[in-house]
Amino acid sequence: FKQANLKANSAAEVMSKMDKLQGDMRNKNMELADMMRERDRAMADLQRLENSRADDLERLRRDLEDSEDRARELSRNRGSEAQDMLRKFNGEKDALQRQLDDRAAEAEQLRRELDRLRAEHELQHQTKDDEMAVLQAGMDHSIVAMANLKKQMGGGQSDLQRRLDSVLAEHALKLRRILDSILRSCADKTDEAVFNLNDPGNPGNMTATVEHVLATVEQAHDLGKMLSSSFARYLTNPDGDQTEVIAAAVGLSNGLEHLLANMKGVSRLANGEDVVERIIKASRQAALVGRQFFTKGQSGAMEQLKPSERHSIILDTNHELQLSLGTLTTLAESLVRRDVTKVSVTNTSEDISDLVEREMLSAARAIDEAVMRLQSLANQPRDSSLTDRQVQ
């Protein structure tokens, strides 16, 4: 019986241990099931992330391919446009170059024709001066011969004295008329220079530099002083030699003409329309003051003045001319810095092709204007009633 109890007790212990082990196993199975569910959920999340990543990568790959295709297409289009623009620019440049060469050849031909006409005019002018000199020498010889004849025949020949005085007065009148004609011609030439200065279509001497303008102003200074001194000597002896007055007047009119053309040409260097207007106004004033030399110096104007007032008129006119030329000197000197830095002060950010094209167009316009000017001068009818000095 004891053995049966021991076996029963052992069996009960075994059964309790088995129940305990089964409970533990059930717990382990539940934990294992939870872990498997967590594993499946994690695997599902991983699969979903992998699928989403693959979709994103595919979308990004397609976007990249589309961007590359657009970039290649845009590059091809821009390359074609650049080539078309380059071909168009080269074609226009070649056409402009051909036009420039043609216009330059026409300008050169017109310049040669103008030089030939000037040479012919100078020859005619020289011939007329020689004829005038011969006539002057003949008249002087006649006057001397008549004076000698007067001395030989004595003081009793009153009729011959009157005739001699009449010839001398007529000779002096002719000389004064010649001087008045030359002064009027100089005044007309100055008026023409002022007209060209005011003409917007006349650009002036476009090749003039500031240094050349200053030299021209200095030359006008000297010519004004020379004309003033020669006029003073002539007024002291009105029956004396007039060649100094004539040469100085012609020189001053030519100097003023060159000065106005150079001042208008160099005004292109001015910084602003107000500076250009001051240059044009000062140049016009200097020319008008110089013109007073030619109008006030004529015999008709001098005869209306007292002998004591004639010298002061000439001196006052010369003083006004020197002041006007001084103003021109100041304006021209203000352009020296701009003239020197004109080439270096360039917008470096500007495309070189645009700069070359603009300069070529500017040169073409300047040549067109020069050609039109030369053609207008060549086609202008010549008035046969004008003297050589008036034509000049």
Side-chain angles (χ1 to χ4, degrees):
F1 182 76
K2 290 181 179 179
Q3 292 179 350
N5 286 331
L6 291 172
K7 290 182 179 179
N9 290 331
S10 298
E13 290 177 0
V14 170
M15 290 298 293
S16 64
K17 289 181 180 180
M18 184 177 296
D19 292 336
K20 185 178 181 181
L21 289 174
Q22 288 178 353
D24 292 336
M25 186 175 294
R26 283 193 299 271
N27 292 332
K28 294 294 183 181
N29 288 332
M30 292 177 65
E31 291 178 359
L32 179 61
D34 293 336
M35 292 179 66
M36 290 179 67
R37 284 193 298 272
E38 291 293 334
R39 183 200 64 183
D40 294 338
R41 187 166 49 252
M43 290 180 66
D45 293 338
L46 178 61
Q47 185 65 31
R48 187 171 55 257
L49 289 176
E50 288 179 352
N51 294 332
S52 176
R53 181 181 178 186
D55 293 339
D56 293 339
L57 290 176
E58 181 65 21
R59 180 176 55 79
L60 292 176
R61 185 183 62 79
R62 287 196 300 270
D63 293 341
L64 179 60
E65 291 177 354
D66 293 340
S67 299
E68 290 178 350
D69 293 337
R70 286 195 298 271
R72 285 193 294 269
E73 184 67 22
L74 183 61
S75 177
R76 286 194 296 270
N77 294 335
R78 292 295 174 86
S80 300
E81 292 177 359
Q83 291 178 357
D84 294 338
M85 291 179 63
L86 183 60
R87 285 194 297 270
K88 182 179 178 181
F89 171 75
N90 291 331
E92 293 178 354
K93 185 180 70 172
D94 294 339
L96 288 175
Q97 185 64 40
R98 289 192 296 272
Q99 293 180 5
L100 179 62
D101 295 338
D102 296 339
R103 297 297 174 83
E106 294 177 1
E108 181 64 22
Q109 182 179 0
L110 291 174
R111 187 189 63 80
R112 289 194 297 268
E113 183 68 19
L114 183 60
D115 292 339
R116 184 182 64 79
L117 294 175
R118 284 180 178 174
E120 293 179 358
H121 175 69
E122 290 294 335
L123 180 60
Q124 295 176 1
H125 179 65
Q126 185 64 34
T127 303
K128 187 170 183 179
D129 288 343
D130 294 340
E131 293 176 355
M132 187 180 295
V134 172
L135 180 61
Q136 179 74 28
M139 295 182 68
D140 292 340
H141 183 269
S142 299
I143 292 173
V144 172
M146 293 183 68
N148 293 331
L149 182 61
K150 175 185 174 183
K151 292 179 181 180
Q152 293 176 2
M153 297 183 65
Q157 303 293 335
S158 59
D159 183 56
L160 182 59
Q161 180 66 37
R162 287 193 299 271
R163 292 174 59 189
L164 180 60
D165 293 340
S166 176
V167 171
L168 291 175
E170 183 179 358
H171 175 66
L173 179 60
K174 289 182 178 180
L175 292 179
R176 285 196 297 271
R177 288 177 178 174
I178 292 174
L179 179 59
D180 291 344
S181 177
I182 293 174
L183 292 177
R184 283 195 298 272
S185 176
C186 294
D188 294 339
K189 190 171 186 178
T190 305
D191 291 337
E192 183 179 357
V194 173
F195 176 79
N196 292 332
L197 178 70
N198 297 328
D199 185 8
N202 188 351
N205 185 8
M206 298 300 292
T207 61
T209 61
V210 177
E211 291 77 8
H212 179 63
V213 169
L214 292 175
T216 308
V217 174
E218 185 64 25
Q219 183 183 15
H221 271 290
D222 298 337
L223 292 172
K225 294 177 182 178
M226 185 185 302
L227 181 57
S228 177
S229 60
S230 60
F231 250 126
R233 289 191 294 270
Y234 171 71
L235 293 176
T236 303
N237 182 18
D239 296 331
D241 190 9
Q242 300 175 338
T243 55
E244 291 185 1
V245 178
I246 294 174
V250 173
L252 181 59
S253 65
N254 291 332
L256 291 176
E257 182 184 21
H258 296 159
L259 176 60
L260 265 60
N262 292 330
M263 288 299 298
K264 187 167 186 180
V266 83
S267 65
R268 70 187 186 278
L269 305 176
N271 188 11
E273 291 296 331
D274 54 341
V275 180
V276 175
E277 184 63 27
R278 288 201 300 270
I279 292 174
I280 299 299
K281 184 177 180 180
S283 303
R284 186 190 308 114
Q285 179 63 25
L288 294 178
V289 173
R291 187 181 184 279
Q292 294 180 8
F293 263 126
F294 311 134
T295 56
K296 294 180 179 180
Q298 297 180 21
S299 59
M302 286 296 177
E303 289 174 357
Q304 297 177 2
L305 301 175
K306 297 179 181 179
S308 59
E309 298 176 348
R310 298 174 183 175
H311 287 82
S312 62
I313 289 294
I314 298 302
L315 294 178
D316 292 342
T317 304
N318 181 51
H319 179 67
E320 293 179 7
L321 178 62
Q322 301 303 321
L323 292 178
S324 300
L325 293 176
T327 303
L328 288 181
T329 300
T330 303
L331 292 174
E333 288 176 348
S334 66
L335 302 176
V336 171
R337 179 174 179 80
R338 181 171 177 82
D339 189 19
V340 172
T341 60
K342 180 182 178 183
V343 177
S344 60
V345 180
T346 306
N347 187 6
T348 56
S349 63
E350 186 176 8
D351 187 70
I352 187 64
S353 61
D354 296 337
L355 179 61
V356 171
E357 184 176 3
R358 189 178 66 252
E359 293 298 329
M360 290 179 64
L361 291 176
S362 299
R365 284 195 297 269
I367 291 176
D368 291 339
E369 293 174 357
V371 170
M372 293 175 62
R373 177 65 176 168
L374 291 174
Q375 288 178 350
S376 63
L377 291 176
N379 296 330
Q380 185 177 3
R382 183 174 181 178
D383 191 354
S384 60
S385 63
L386 297 176
T387 61
D388 288 341
R389 292 187 181 275
Q390 289 173 333
V391 173
Q392 182 181 4

